[in-house]
Amino acid sequence: MKGTSPDVEVHSSQEPWWRRGVIYQIYPRSFQDSNGDGIGDIRGIIDRLDYLVWLGIDAVWISPIFFSPMADFGYDIADYRKIDPLFGTLTDFDQLIEAAHRRGIRILLDYVPNHSSDRHQWFLEARSSRDNPRRDFYIWRDAAPDGGPPNNWQSEFGGSAWELDAATGQYYYHAFLKEQPDLNWRNPEVRREMYDVLRFWLDRGVDGFRVDVMWHLIKDAEFRDNPQNPDWTEDMPPHKSVLSIYSCDQEEVHDVVSEMRAVLDEYGGDRLLIGEIYLPIARLVAYYGRDLRGAHLPFNFRLIEAQWDARHIERQIVEYEAALPEGGWPNWVLSNHDKPRIASRVGRDQARVAAMMLLTLRGTPTIYYGDEIGMNDAPIPPERVQDPFELRVPGRGFGRDPQRTPMQWDNTVNAGFSTGSPWLPLAPDKDSFNVEAERSDPHSMLSLYRRLIAFRRENDALNLGRYASVEADSCVLAYLRETENDRYLIALNLGPEPAVLETPGQCRIVISTEGKAEGEIVEEKLHLQGNEGVLAEMMS
């Protein structure tokens, strides 16, 4: 057995909180409803903070709660400084900050700078006339010579990304819905206004932001056509028919990201900037910025997109580690509000193995609400579909409702989520897979998550130590996490059949996803059951 990747520097105990911390994503519509309207809200989050403390969470990232017409469920913002009444009030939000901070939990907000709602006052003014002072807050172009859209850029939700404004005779650009016009980030006044939005929430005590579609913010100044995608097939989302090399990920975007970072740094070094970026690794890591003055954590979605195969995932880990800039801190995600849940992708048995992977890899982990109890994507009847992506491209499996269903708290009415009719249906297995049922079961998914989080918190080798691959065969992914004083072996069987790993020395089993005897000493060969992950302390 040998390490096959270079050692990664072990950091001191003075590291910022997010290097040791565990982040938990809440989709607020679906977490906890406090007033019986069937939609989760801020007071519901407050009511569940003690659960998050018990689980061991350090920070909560909350998807958008700002004033919105809800064309895209909060990602179309009509006022960046107001809380939408569906979720509560600014007073509720201030109470959330106070209650979370009192419990040692930090609050991260979802910042949506790429686009506003078409009902935002800025856009209402911008479309009122071509010479309105707000006109250049958005992206306007004349029609093509044939009268059609200015170029071939595609909306992420299908169809052209250009919408003709009949009143002024120009097209405006929207990377998503036509109700979500893109802001013009080449305009210095837009930047000033949007940085003041950050300051507004930072002044209220927010601990950081996850920046929505960060890589979209700057577009090609010449508005050139995107090239056709030669690999596109009918089973892929429509916007993938072109390669978006001109409509996003422009070099100038890094200046914007560094400016956002500078705003956070005005408030001290512990405010966190996360970027949502779906790009290949080589382009993703550029968002750490020059001299690491960009995003602290450009979201790494390798595990969401990966083929569930040990050798493939090992290559993804090693390539990612090698691509990180010096001093750049890694991060890992298994699920989110836009992608199918891990349990639905790989099955609940493998989801336990995935949990061990997430919480033992080097870097900051983010847990999507409900993954810790093994929630699956729930079937959504056609008449209950809410997601605009599914409504625009129906029957293709692109809809995001299945992974956004209400949190399953207990086996009471509506799984304890609401006393009213939930905005999305609950999963059929809610009575078996819920917090109350799993909390008292030492072998449940929830208990496994809690143990892994606690063990990670207590051991520098797991939260700050080096990563080194361990040679393994067949379906086993194995690696070491180590400091000068401690070494841990993580062995993950990503297949259903038993497997054997030759260990790099004598070790003692600490945690097994399948209940292998804790404290068992393994001399040379670690026998893994199918779908088993093992965390073991190296003794030699």
Side-chain angles (χ1 to χ4, degrees):
M1 299 296 93
K2 60 182 185 296
T4 59
S5 63
D7 285 348
V8 181
E9 180 184 357
V10 179
H11 299 273
S12 75
S13 60
Q14 301 304 311
E15 295 293 341
W17 67 266
W18 43 267
R19 292 198 182 218
R20 295 174 176 271
V22 174
I23 300 171
Y24 186 92
Q25 181 191 356
I26 288 177
Y27 193 71
R29 296 180 69 92
S30 296
F31 195 61
Q32 180 67 60
D33 172 23
S34 70
N35 61 7
D37 66 356
I39 297 174
D41 47 47
I42 294 171
R43 298 224 61 84
I45 297 173
I46 294 172
D47 291 343
R48 296 295 186 178
L49 286 175
D50 287 340
Y51 164 73
L52 298 176
V53 172
W54 174 85
L55 184 58
I57 298 304
D58 297 279
V60 170
W61 151 36
I62 304 172
S63 293
I65 51 176
F66 311 110
F67 188 68
S68 169
M70 299 294 165
D72 189 21
F73 296 105
Y75 284 93
D76 52 314
I77 297 172
D79 192 325
Y80 287 94
R81 290 176 171 85
K82 289 184 179 179
I83 299 294
D84 194 279
L86 276 175
F87 301 120
T89 66
L90 270 176
T91 298
D92 293 330
F93 181 78
D94 291 340
Q95 291 175 355
L96 169 63
I97 290 285
E98 190 278 329
H101 285 177
R102 182 160 27 92
R103 291 167 171 82
I105 294 177
R106 291 172 167 86
I107 297 294
L108 312 175
L109 287 183
D110 215 322
Y111 178 57
V112 187
N114 180 69
H115 47 265
S116 74
S117 166
D118 63 350
R119 300 189 198 177
H120 195 292
Q121 185 61 35
W122 294 344
F123 191 70
L124 296 177
E125 294 178 27
R127 74 188 315 178
S128 67
S129 70
R130 290 197 184 194
D131 58 1
N132 186 278
R134 299 285 193 193
R135 184 74 171 182
D136 196 44
F137 268 46
Y138 296 87
I139 299 170
W140 301 89
R141 300 289 288 175
D142 291 332
D146 64 0
N151 62 25
N152 72 345
W153 295 358
Q154 297 291 298
S155 162
E156 297 273 331
F157 292 152
S160 173
W162 296 95
E163 181 72 12
L164 179 63
D165 180 60
T168 59
Q170 282 189 311
Y171 284 84
Y172 67 85
Y173 178 69
H174 57 92
F176 297 89
L177 296 175
K178 65 181 177 62
E179 294 87 356
Q180 296 169 288
D182 278 40
L183 288 160
N184 177 16
W185 275 83
R186 293 183 182 275
N187 182 339
E189 191 175 349
V190 167
R191 296 192 190 189
R192 284 194 294 270
E193 291 274 8
M194 293 301 289
Y195 299 153
D196 281 346
V197 168
L198 292 175
R199 293 185 180 98
F200 175 85
W201 295 104
L202 289 164
D203 287 340
R204 302 192 90 89
V206 167
D207 299 285
F209 301 89
R210 174 266 194 187
V211 181
D212 187 57
V213 296
M214 179 181 276
W215 83 110
H216 272 266
L217 292 177
I218 297 288
K219 289 75 172 170
D220 178 48
E222 299 178 32
F223 294 92
R224 288 169 282 188
D225 276 354
N226 281 323
Q228 297 297 310
N229 181 358
D231 299 321
W232 184 78
T233 59
E234 291 288 343
D235 61 347
M236 296 169 65
H239 73 275
K240 297 286 189 182
S241 63
V242 295
L243 301 173
S244 56
I245 65 171
Y246 293 120
S247 50
C248 61
D249 193 33
Q250 303 301 292
E251 181 61 30
E252 301 95 322
V253 74
H254 300 295
D255 295 329
V256 173
V257 177
S258 67
E259 289 170 7
M260 289 182 185
R261 169 69 178 275
V263 173
L264 269 67
D265 287 349
E266 294 171 12
Y267 290 78
D270 64 344
R271 307 298 173 104
L272 175 63
L273 186 66
I274 301 173
E276 183 198 25
I277 304 155
Y278 283 93
L279 289 174
I281 288 175
R283 290 158 65 192
L284 169 73
V285 296
Y287 285 79
Y288 284 97
R290 306 174 191 94
D291 300 320
L292 300 182
R293 302 306 301 167
H296 296 100
L297 301 177
F299 256 150
N300 165 28
F301 298 123
R302 299 306 101 188
L303 296 182
I304 287 181
E305 300 174 326
Q307 172 187 342
W308 206 250
D309 169 84
R311 302 286 72 79
H312 175 78
I313 292 177
E314 182 178 49
R315 286 193 298 273
Q316 292 288 322
I317 296 168
V318 172
E319 289 173 8
Y320 176 57
E321 284 277 5
L324 289 167
E326 184 177 358
W329 188 247
N331 67 93
W332 298 94
V333 184
L334 287 176
S335 307
N336 63 31
H337 61 294
D338 287 329
K339 301 293 182 180
R341 286 186 178 275
I342 183 64
S344 290
R345 298 201 312 273
V346 303
R348 282 204 174 99
D349 289 341
Q350 275 297 309
R352 295 173 66 87
V353 177
M356 181 169 281
M357 185 189 306
L358 176 70
L359 292 164
T360 58
L361 282 172
R362 192 179 81 98
T364 302
T366 297
I367 299 168
Y368 185 47
Y369 85 97
D371 275 3
E372 76 273 20
I373 57 173
M375 279 180 64
N376 270 315
D377 295 347
I380 308 296
E383 67 276 10
R384 295 293 303 275
V385 169
Q386 303 281 339
D387 182 19
F389 195 4
E390 176 68 16
L391 293 172
R392 286 171 62 93
V393 191
R396 301 282 297 280
F398 303 141
R400 301 163 296 174
D401 291 336
Q403 59 264 33
R404 298 177 174 184
T405 55
M407 180 67 173
Q408 297 157 201
W409 294 105
D410 54 41
N411 62 3
T412 62
V413 174
N414 297 325
F417 163 71
S418 175
T419 58
S421 178
W423 77 287
L424 281 175
L426 286 131
D429 59 8
K430 59 183 173 56
D431 289 343
S432 300
F433 294 91
N434 61 65
V435 170
E436 194 63 30
E438 297 188 31
R439 192 166 182 161
S440 58
D441 179 359
H443 303 295
S444 69
M445 182 84 81
L446 180 58
S447 294
L448 175 64
Y449 262 91
R450 186 169 184 252
R451 289 191 64 203
L452 286 167
I453 291 170
F455 196 79
R456 181 184 186 277
R457 182 190 299 276
E458 295 165 2
N459 290 272
D460 278 354
L462 288 184
N463 55 46
L464 297 175
R466 293 178 291 266
Y467 166 92
S469 296
V470 170
E471 187 176 302
D473 297 324
S474 64
C475 295
V476 177
L477 170 66
Y479 49 90
L480 293 169
R481 298 297 313 284
E482 52 192 1
T483 62
E484 292 181 1
N485 300 319
D486 297 292
R487 299 172 73 217
Y488 291 92
L489 170 68
I490 295 89
L492 308 171
N493 187 352
L494 272 61
E497 302 299 324
V500 178
L501 174 72
E502 293 185 20
T503 63
Q506 186 185 66
C507 60
R508 178 180 62 85
I509 293 174
V510 179
I511 300 175
S512 163
T513 65
E514 293 300 313
K516 189 182 264 66
E518 295 177 15
E520 178 183 336
I521 303 299
V522 176
E523 296 292 344
E524 295 179 351
K525 294 183 183 295
L526 175 60
H527 292 265
L528 296 165
Q529 301 175 41
N531 304 313
E532 182 180 23
V534 167
L535 168 61
E537 181 180 13
M538 298 303 304
M539 303 175 67
S540 64

